[in-house]
Amino acid sequence: MKKQSFIYGAMILFIASLFNRIIGFGYQMVVIRLIKPEGVGLFNMVYPVYIMAMVLSTLGIPLAIAKLVAEEVAKGNMRGAYRIFYICLSILIITATAVTVGLYLSTPFLMAHYFPNPKVYYSFLALIPGIFVVSMCSAFRGFFQGLQQMTPTAVTQILEQLVRVGAGLVIAYLLLPQGIEYAAIGMSLGVVLGEITGCITMLIIFFRSRPCPKQIGTIKPLGVSLKNIFYLGIPVTLTRFISTAIMSIEAIIIPQRLIISGVSLTDATSMYGQFVGIAQTLLLTPAIITTALATALIPAVSDALAQNNLKLVQARTSEAIRLTNIAGLPCIVLFLLLPHELCGLLFGYREAGTSLAILALGGSFLYFCQTTTGILQGMGEAVRPFKNMLIASSFKIIGIYYLTSIPSLGIKGTAAVMSIYCIIYALLNYIDLKKLIGFRMYFIASIIKPLTSALIMGFVVLLTKQAIFTISGSLVMTTFGSIFSGMAIYLAALFLMGGVSPQDVERINKMIYKIIPKKPN
C-alpha cells in the first residue's frame, strides 16, 4: 500500500466521517424519539465511564504507534516499524484484559456510589465487552495511520457505524415494552456489535494488505522502544483520561445540580439527554472535518519533523486551521440563527435550541482545539494540550457546579460554561504553537475571508427565513430553504473572495479522481 498525502488522507477520513455523521445523525433523530431524552440521558451517563475505561486500556498507545511507525517508515526502516507495532499490540492485550475484568468487578461499587440513576445498570454492563475489542482494533488503526494509509480506518469506521445504528435501533425497539432502562441497552449493544464488526474487518485488511516486513533495518533495544512508546503515550493517556473523567463528572453533577435548581430526577435526566443528545450532537457536526484533520496531522507532522522540515510543519498547520474555519463558521451561523428550528425539526425538542445557541458561541474555538491538539500531538508535545485542557477544565467544573444550580439559568448556565471552556483551551493551544514553531495564522486567508463569507451568509439566512415563512407559512420549508440559500451564498462569497483557491479546486479534483477513477474507454 502506498503512502497517502496528508490532504488525501484527511479527505478519505472526511468522507468516512461525513457518511458516519449523516448515519449517526439520523440514528440520533430516531432514537431520541424512540426512547425519549430520558433514555438517551441514561446511556450518556454511563458512556463517559466506558470511554474512560477505554483510555486506561489503550494508554495512548495507538497514537504512539502512528507517530513512531511514521518515523521509522520515513527512515525506510520497515523492520523497526513492525517491531514497534508488535510491542504495542502485546501491551494492549494485557491492559485491555485487566481493565475489562476490573470494570466488571467494580460495577456494584459504581452503582452504589457513583451513578445518580439506578436505571443505568444494564446499559453499563452491556458496554463493558467493547473495551477489549476497541483496544485491539486501535493497534491496527494506529499502524496503518503511521503508514499514512487512512483508508483502513475509514472503511472500518463506516462498517462500525452501520452495524451500531442498525443493531442499536432494532434491539432498542424490541426491548422498549420492558421499560426505558431496557430500551437504552440497545444503544450499548449497538456500540459493542459495531466495534466487533470493525475489528474483524481491520484484521482482514491487515492480513491481506499489510506491507511486507523487510528483514533489513535497525531494531532498537526493547527498553528504548518502551521508553519512546510511553513517553508519548502517557501524556496522551493523561489528556484523554482527564477529559473523559471530566465528562463522567459532568454526567453526574449536571443532573444533580439541575435537581438542586428545582427539577425532578426524571426531568433532570431528560434535560441532560437533550443537552448531550441534541445540542452537543449538532454542535459537533463540523467535527467531521476537524477529527479527520487531527487524525491525519499526527503522522503527517511527525513525518515532516523526522525530515527536519519546519516549513512543511508550518504549512500543514496553516492549511489545517484554514480548512477548520471554512468548515466550522457556516455551521456556527446556522446554530446561532436557527437553533430552535433545527432542534425542533430534527429531534422534536425545540427547547434544546437555547442550549445550542449558547454552545455555538464557543463552537469555532472548539473546532480550533480539536485541530491544534492533533498538531501538537504529532510534534511529540502531547503534554501541552493535556496541561491546557486541565487548566480550562478546572474553570469548567467550577462553573457548572455553581451556574447550573441557579434556577434562572439551569442548563443554560452549563452551556455558557462550555463555551468559556472552549475559548480558554483554544487560546492556550495557540500560545503553545506560537512558542514551538513560530506559528502565525494567515489572518486574511484563515479568518477574514471565511468570517466575511459567514457574515454575508447570516444576513441572507435572516432575510430568506422571514421571506419564505411569509410566503409559505411552513416551518420545514423556511428552515431548509434558509439553510440551502445561506450555504449557497457562503460558498459563492468564499469563491469570489478567493477563500477557496484554484489550487484547492485542482487538489480536490485530483483526490476525486483517485477515489473514483475514470472507467477505461
Side-chain angles (χ1 to χ4, degrees):
M1 298 177 77
K2 294 182 180 180
K3 183 175 78 171
Q4 297 168 339
S5 70
F6 152 59
I7 293 294
Y8 179 69
M11 177 60 78
I12 290 291
L13 291 176
F14 165 70
I15 293 170
S17 297
L18 178 61
F19 178 83
N20 287 344
R21 185 68 62 176
I22 292 170
I23 298 297
F25 213 85
Y27 171 66
Q28 198 76 3
M29 289 167 58
V30 174
V31 81
I32 208 161
R33 285 176 165 85
L34 181 65
I35 65 175
K36 310 301 180 187
E38 183 185 358
V40 174
L42 290 173
F43 173 77
N44 281 286
M45 284 180 185
V46 300
Y47 193 67
V49 179
Y50 167 73
I51 297 296
M52 188 162 56
M54 196 186 306
V55 169
L56 285 176
S57 174
T58 56
L59 294 173
I61 289 173
L63 185 142
I65 296 173
K67 175 174 170 53
L68 296 175
V69 166
E71 290 177 353
E72 296 298 328
V73 171
K75 299 171 186 175
N77 186 12
M78 187 57 70
R79 187 184 179 195
Y82 268 97
R83 178 173 170 80
I84 290 291
F85 169 67
Y86 287 125
I87 291 172
C88 290
L89 182 61
S90 301
I91 297 170
L92 285 171
I93 291 172
I94 296 169
T95 56
T97 302
V99 172
T100 300
V101 173
L103 201 57
Y104 266 119
L105 296 177
S106 64
T107 298
F109 174 82
L110 291 172
M111 293 305 304
H113 301 285
Y114 183 76
F115 293 121
N117 196 322
K119 292 181 178 180
V120 303
Y121 179 70
Y122 295 109
S123 295
F124 182 65
L125 281 182
L127 275 173
I128 294 176
I131 295 167
F132 186 86
V133 178
V134 172
S135 299
M136 295 302 96
C137 189
S138 67
F140 294 93
R141 283 181 176 165
F143 177 71
F144 280 112
Q145 288 166 10
L147 298 176
Q148 297 195 46
Q149 274 292 330
M150 304 301 165
T151 303
T153 297
V155 170
T156 53
Q157 284 177 346
I158 289 172
L159 289 174
E160 282 175 17
Q161 184 75 323
L162 289 173
V163 174
R164 172 179 175 265
V165 168
L169 287 176
V170 170
I171 297 171
Y173 177 77
L174 293 175
L175 294 179
L176 184 58
Q178 306 298 320
I180 288 294
E181 63 268 36
Y182 291 95
I185 297 173
M187 297 184 73
S188 296
L189 288 177
V191 169
V192 174
L193 292 172
E195 300 290 1
I196 291 172
T197 303
C199 188
I200 292 172
T201 306
M202 182 61 80
L203 287 171
I204 293 171
I205 293 173
F206 177 79
F207 287 112
R208 286 184 176 180
S209 306
R210 70 187 187 278
C212 228
K214 298 178 182 178
Q215 295 304 312
I216 57 172
T218 59
I219 288 182
K220 296 177 182 177
L222 179 60
V224 174
S225 296
L226 290 173
K227 181 182 177 181
N228 291 337
I229 290 165
F230 287 111
Y231 178 77
L232 180 63
I234 288 175
V236 172
T237 300
L238 288 173
T239 301
R240 292 179 178 173
F241 180 80
I242 295 297
S243 64
T244 51
I246 289 167
M247 286 172 57
S248 300
I249 293 170
E250 291 169 11
I252 305 306
I253 66 170
I254 292 174
Q256 287 179 345
R257 303 308 289 177
L258 286 172
I259 291 170
I260 291 174
S261 74
V263 303
S264 66
L265 174 60
T266 299
D267 288 340
T269 304
S270 178
M271 291 172 70
Y272 177 68
Q274 289 184 36
F275 181 77
V276 177
I278 299 176
Q280 286 192 344
T281 295
L282 284 166
L283 182 72
L284 290 173
T285 302
I288 59 176
I289 289 284
T290 55
T291 301
L293 285 171
T295 304
L297 275 167
I298 292 170
V301 170
S302 297
D303 180 68
L305 286 173
Q307 301 173 44
N308 294 317
N309 192 340
L310 188 59
K311 287 186 177 180
L312 183 57
V313 174
Q314 293 172 334
R316 286 176 171 173
T317 299
S318 299
E319 184 79 348
I321 299 301
R322 184 175 70 89
L323 293 173
T324 297
N325 288 333
I326 287 174
L329 285 172
C331 296
I332 296 300
V333 170
L334 296 177
F335 299 153
L336 286 171
L337 300 182
L338 301 170
H340 298 287
E341 292 86 348
L342 289 169
C343 292
L345 284 176
L346 298 176
F347 297 96
Y349 292 88
R350 283 179 58 88
E351 56 269 31
T354 302
S355 295
L356 175 60
I358 298 171
L359 285 172
L361 297 174
S364 291
F365 297 94
L366 170 64
Y367 312 142
F368 181 87
C369 286
Q370 292 170 329
T371 301
T372 52
T373 295
I375 295 167
L376 289 167
Q377 289 173 346
M379 295 173 63
E381 296 287 346
V383 70
R384 291 179 183 267
F386 166 68
K387 175 200 69 176
N388 297 340
M389 183 269 298
L390 202 59
I391 294 170
S393 295
S394 62
F395 287 96
K396 179 170 67 169
I397 294 298
I398 294 170
I400 288 174
Y401 186 85
Y402 286 105
L403 294 186
T404 305
S405 59
I406 299 174
S408 59
L409 292 178
I411 203 70
K412 291 184 288 186
T414 304
V417 171
M418 294 288 189
S419 291
I420 295 170
Y421 158 80
C422 294
I423 293 170
I424 296 172
Y425 195 174
L427 289 175
L428 292 173
N429 272 8
Y430 175 76
I431 291 170
D432 280 336
L433 281 175
K434 183 87 172 173
K435 289 178 181 177
L436 290 169
I437 59 172
F439 170 70
R440 63 180 182 85
M441 281 189 287
Y442 296 109
F443 196 71
I444 293 178
S446 298
I447 297 178
I448 295 298
K449 290 179 180 180
L451 181 60
T452 303
S453 301
L455 290 174
I456 295 171
M457 169 190 171
F459 181 69
V460 171
V461 167
L462 286 175
L463 288 179
T464 53
K465 176 182 175 182
Q466 185 61 43
I468 295 173
F469 187 76
T470 301
I471 295 170
S472 67
S474 167
L475 183 61
V476 175
M477 290 184 64
T478 299
T479 303
F480 289 106
S482 300
I483 291 172
F484 291 136
S485 59
M487 289 302 298
I489 291 297
Y490 174 76
L491 292 173
L494 201 60
F495 271 98
L496 289 173
M497 287 189 292
V500 177
S501 66
Q503 289 81 5
D504 291 330
V505 176
E506 183 181 353
R507 187 184 294 154
I508 291 170
N509 286 334
K510 286 181 179 178
M511 286 187 287
I512 290 173
Y513 286 130
K514 285 183 180 179
I515 296 168
I516 309 174
K518 288 183 177 180
K519 293 182 179 180
N521 294 326

